[in-house]
């Protein structure tokens, strides 16, 4: 493709900036300049070592926010890539190649170009359009969207609807949108025993043997049945370790990392209490350190989901599926403002992989879907 569309030109320019998390490498400055040029009030929010910005255009009335991130995951081994990961080009098969093409610089380009076009066509649109962009989504996510949302909440900023540009599609652009996500609760369990010689087990307490029945019960527990929007809550052990590295020593401690992906049918406090009751039931000397990655959120059918679904139908001719599957996203922070949140982006088949790529034509469709959604929600 010798001549690139505005969306693909911008996507390539963003991809060529090697913004490996938490770096931004000027991506946000480029976006802010273009938004300011079409009437947005732009507010950089640099928090700790993270670049963020908030931009808003319009007056009173409903606010539609576009949210996303400029940071990308590391490339992995460069020799595994067919082409340089930050070269950014459209190949002979029509694929836009480069780290961030799918996750999520392609979406950022589509959002910005759609908004530029909408503002040119509807300069006196009702309500307001906003952007919330961070460079801390692929990392700890402490000083990015979460921190910006806290500032917006203190200012009583209104956010009615939000489209997050996460790559939600599975096979064809728009075939799936995310209208919620499960919560994520992490635990670090320590079970203490007594170290000793394997030949004298009566003088020791093996924490592996002691913990095994409790871990089996936790793995087999029915936590909830889910509901019409969420699958049942799941418990998974992600790491288990103990021992000194030798065969003749009974270890003194077992460490276990586990995670709950939980539905709205369960609460953080309820899950914690049930885990602790099972550990007590088995008479263990235990300690659990808990960390909450995010609460579950759900956007039920309404103005935003209806507008997005209708726009996908108009542009692609297909019906979209609303799903709460997958991992967490920054939508969990935005939803705390009472905002309807939907994730809509390109096909996610190659995200975080070497040779990340997305169909260039999909970004054109995505731009049009974003534009039509703006029309449905904010055109006079």
């Amino acid at each position: 493709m010798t001549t690139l569309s505005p969306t693909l030109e911008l996507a390539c320019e963003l991809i060529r900036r090697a913004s490996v998390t938490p770096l931004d490498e000027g991506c946000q400055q480029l976006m802010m300049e273009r938004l300011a040029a079409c009437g947005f009030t732009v507010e950089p929010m640099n928090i700790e070592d993270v670049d963020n910005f908030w931009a808003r255009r319009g007056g009173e009335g409903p606010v539609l926010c576009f949210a996303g991130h400029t940071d990308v995951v590391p490339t992995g081994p460069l020799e595994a890539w067919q082409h340089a990961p930050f070269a950014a080009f459209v190949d002979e098969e029509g694929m836009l190649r480069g780290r961030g093409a799918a996750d999520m610089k392609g979406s950022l380009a589509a959002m910005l170009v759609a908004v530029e076009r909408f503002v040119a066509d509807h300069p006196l649109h009702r309500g307001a359009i906003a952007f919330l962009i961070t460079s801390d989504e692929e990392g700890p996510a402490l000083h990015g969207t979460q921190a910006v949302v806290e500032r917006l909440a203190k200012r009583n900023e209104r956010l009615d609807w939000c489209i997050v540009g996460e790559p939600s599609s599975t096979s064809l652009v728009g075939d799936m949108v995310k209208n919620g996500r499960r919560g994520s609760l992490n635990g670090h369990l320590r079970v203490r025993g007594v170290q000793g010689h394997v030949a004298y087990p009566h003088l020791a307490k093996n924490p592996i043997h002691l913990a095994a029945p409790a871990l089996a019960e936790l793995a087999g527990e029915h936590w909830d049945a889910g509901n019409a929007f969420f699958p049942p809550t799941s418990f998974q052990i992600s790491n288990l370790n103990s021992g000194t590295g030798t065969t003749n020593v009974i270890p003194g401690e077992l460490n276990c990392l586990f995670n709950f992906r939980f539905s709205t049918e369960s609460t953080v406090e309820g899950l914690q209490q049930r885990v602790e009751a099972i550990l007590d039931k088995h008479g263990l000397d235990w300690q659990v350190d808990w960390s909450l990655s995010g609460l579950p959120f759900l956007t039920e059918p309404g103005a935003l989901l209806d507008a997005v679904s209708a726009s996908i139908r108009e542009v692609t001719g297909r019906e979209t599926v609303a799903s709460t599957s997958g991992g967490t996203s920054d939508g969990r922070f935005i939803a705390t403002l009472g905002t309807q949140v939907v994730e809509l982006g390109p096909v996610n088949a190659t995200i975080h992989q070497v040779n990340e790529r997305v169909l260039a034509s999909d970004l054109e469709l995505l731009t049009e879907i974003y534009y039509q959604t703006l029309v449905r929600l904010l055109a006079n």
Side-chain angles (χ1 to χ4, degrees):
M1 296 176 66
T2 55
T3 302
L4 297 181
S5 70
T7 297
L8 291 172
E9 283 185 356
L10 178 55
C12 286
E13 193 165 355
L14 291 172
I15 293 168
R16 287 173 187 142
R17 299 167 189 250
S19 54
V20 176
T21 190
L23 300 180
D24 170 69
E25 297 296 334
C27 294
Q28 292 181 26
Q29 185 61 38
L30 172 62
M31 295 181 69
M32 287 189 286
E33 289 173 359
R34 290 183 60 156
L35 289 170
C38 58
F40 279 77
T41 300
V42 178
E43 182 181 358
M45 290 190 183
N46 300 321
I47 303 171
E48 299 294 332
D49 60 345
V50 174
D51 293 321
N52 311 288
F53 77 82
W54 168 252
R56 189 180 185 281
R57 183 191 194 279
E60 298 300 318
V63 179
L64 171 59
C65 176
F66 290 94
H69 59 91
T70 53
D71 59 323
V72 298
V73 296
T75 62
L78 294 177
E79 62 273 16
W81 287 73
Q82 290 178 298
H83 307 279
F86 298 109
F89 68 99
V90 177
D91 67 16
E92 63 279 1
E93 296 177 345
M95 305 296 293
L96 172 64
R97 292 183 170 271
R99 173 59 86 223
D103 188 14
M104 58 174 287
K105 292 180 177 180
S107 296
L108 295 180
M111 289 172 172
L112 203 152
V113 170
V115 167
E116 288 175 332
R117 176 182 158 200
F118 177 78
V119 168
D121 293 346
H122 304 274
L124 301 178
H125 61 81
R126 72 188 190 99
I129 310 168
F131 276 78
L132 195 170
I133 306 297
T134 183
S135 64
D136 183 35
E137 197 274 346
E138 299 290 7
L142 296 175
H143 306 301
T145 301
Q146 180 177 3
V148 173
V149 164
E150 290 171 356
R151 292 190 180 187
L152 297 178
K154 289 178 181 177
R155 291 171 8 184
N156 295 316
E157 288 275 3
R158 176 176 177 177
L159 264 74
D160 297 271
W161 309 304
C162 181
I163 298 175
V164 183
E166 289 293 339
S168 61
S169 304
T170 57
S171 299
L172 300 167
V173 67
D175 61 359
M176 179 176 288
V177 299
K178 305 293 186 180
N179 66 323
R181 294 281 190 166
R182 294 174 294 175
S184 179
L185 176 64
N186 307 294
H188 179 185
L189 168 66
R190 296 176 179 87
V191 177
R192 290 175 286 269
V194 176
Q195 183 173 317
H197 197 293
V198 295
Y200 303 95
H202 60 288
L203 299 178
K205 290 183 179 179
N206 192 322
I208 301 174
H209 296 182
L210 295 171
L215 296 178
E217 183 170 344
L218 289 168
E221 182 76 359
H222 178 74
W223 302 97
D224 63 45
N227 54 37
F229 298 100
F230 289 94
T233 291
S234 68
F235 168 90
Q236 289 293 318
I237 294 172
S238 56
N239 190 280
L240 192 67
N241 65 83
S242 186
T244 63
T246 185
T247 60
N248 62 351
V249 177
I250 293 171
E253 183 175 278
L254 176 141
N255 285 273
C256 173
L257 300 181
F258 62 87
N259 174 268
F260 282 102
R261 291 302 165 104
F262 63 101
S263 75
T264 50
E265 296 297 309
S266 290
T267 64
V268 171
E269 296 77 13
L271 293 172
Q272 290 173 335
Q273 290 169 5
R274 290 174 65 184
V275 168
E276 292 167 4
I278 290 173
L279 297 174
D280 282 339
K281 170 185 169 183
H282 288 269
L284 301 177
D285 180 5
W286 61 269
Q287 175 186 337
V288 177
D289 296 323
W290 297 98
S291 63
L292 178 67
S293 297
L295 292 168
F297 71 91
L298 176 69
T299 295
E300 297 194 40
L304 178 60
L305 194 53
D306 290 349
V308 167
S309 299
S311 297
I312 292 171
R313 187 183 309 114
E314 178 177 337
V315 174
T316 69
R318 66 182 65 104
E319 297 294 331
T320 192
V321 174
S323 170
T324 61
S325 63
T328 59
S329 77
D330 276 359
R332 67 192 189 275
F333 304 126
I334 300 166
T336 63
L337 298 173
T339 308
Q340 295 180 37
V341 179
V342 165
E343 298 171 27
L344 169 61
V347 173
N348 57 26
T350 64
I351 60 173
H352 294 202
Q353 297 182 12
V354 298
N355 300 318
E356 182 177 348
R357 59 202 180 276
V358 66
L359 269 174
S361 57
D362 279 357
L363 295 187
E364 306 304 334
L365 294 175
L366 190 60
T367 303
E368 187 64 24
I369 292 167
Y370 290 151
Y371 176 84
Q372 293 299 332
T373 301
L374 280 158
V375 170
R376 283 179 165 81
L377 292 174
L378 295 180
N380 286 319

